[in-house]
Amino acid sequence: MSISSSGLAITGIDDRRYWSRIETDESRFKSVAYLQQIWWFEVDGEVDFPFPVGSYSIFFRLQVGRASRRFGRRVCNSEHVHGWDKKPVRFQLSTSDGQQATTQCYLNEPGIWKYHHVGDFVATGSVEPMKVKYSLTQIDCTHTKGGLCVDSVLICPVEFTERLKQSF
């Protein structure tokens, strides 16, 4: 399951001083959310879905910097990239049956689309849909951060986790 950045609750997304939507052929959704600069960084989402029995992983697909094409070649503009080296971002997930996971990391590889692992959860195959909430935050108002592309959230069986880590 893949959820585009348009399907996520992004703090400040409607204020063009902070965020913009940019078209790109590097996203299956043809556009991404691009953070220019903000103090309070928060991206939230949730799904209510009857997952089949199994273990699942959640990933955010992110890129530090803004990629574009010049003379047919891909280039990454890291001009507005700042603040991601001050404190780590926090990824969290929680499920309606009480499962939780939290991870943290620094975003420090400009120009590369990366799948950042939020955590894993187990679905027991109940008839009722399972609510899964996930988030990405960096709420430290002592400094601004900017220059980040948010593409999507991916939920997949854990068997694909290693393949995703190797491919990006």
Side-chain angles (χ1 to χ4, degrees):
M1 177 183 299
S2 191
I3 299 105
S4 79
S5 60
S6 298
L8 303 172
I10 301 175
T11 299
I13 192 69
D14 295 325
D15 192 329
R16 296 185 68 137
R17 292 175 298 173
Y18 306 123
W19 289 92
S20 59
R21 296 257 181 222
I22 57 173
E23 292 185 14
T24 178
D25 60 356
E26 296 183 357
S27 170
R28 72 182 332 162
F29 300 105
K30 303 300 179 202
S31 73
V32 297
Y34 178 69
L35 173 63
Q36 296 166 81
Q37 178 172 293
I38 204 161
W39 292 88
W40 183 286
F41 177 72
E42 187 170 17
V43 180
D44 297 304
E46 70 178 59
V47 294
D48 230 348
F49 190 77
F51 289 95
V53 173
S55 297
Y56 295 88
S57 294
I58 300 180
F59 296 88
F60 272 89
R61 185 170 187 256
L62 309 171
Q63 176 182 261
V64 176
R66 180 178 178 168
S68 62
R69 299 249 178 232
R70 288 210 181 117
F71 305 112
R73 297 181 61 128
R74 182 185 191 273
V75 294
C76 183
N77 183 346
S78 56
E79 176 184 351
H80 295 132
V81 174
H82 65 281
W84 304 112
D85 57 342
K86 307 281 187 219
K87 295 237 173 135
V89 295
R90 176 177 292 194
F91 299 95
Q92 293 182 303
L93 82 81
S94 64
T95 65
S96 53
D97 66 355
Q99 300 175 64
Q100 296 183 355
T102 302
T103 58
Q104 295 186 89
C105 75
Y106 287 92
L107 303 179
N108 55 10
E109 294 183 60
I112 301 169
W113 284 107
K114 291 196 69 171
Y115 285 98
H116 293 273
H117 188 234
V118 178
D120 300 331
F121 66 94
V122 176
T124 57
S126 168
V127 178
E128 294 295 315
M130 174 182 271
K131 182 176 283 192
V132 180
K133 295 182 178 183
Y134 40 86
S135 66
L136 162 60
T137 57
Q138 211 274 28
I139 304 172
D140 176 2
C141 294
T142 63
H143 67 280
T144 62
K145 39 240 153 235
L148 181 70
C149 289
V150 179
D151 177 40
S152 58
V153 169
L154 176 69
I155 303 175
C156 64
V158 294
E159 296 85 55
F160 296 104
T161 300
E162 284 307 312
R163 193 178 316 167
L164 279 173
K165 288 180 182 176
Q166 292 170 3
S167 66
F168 289 94

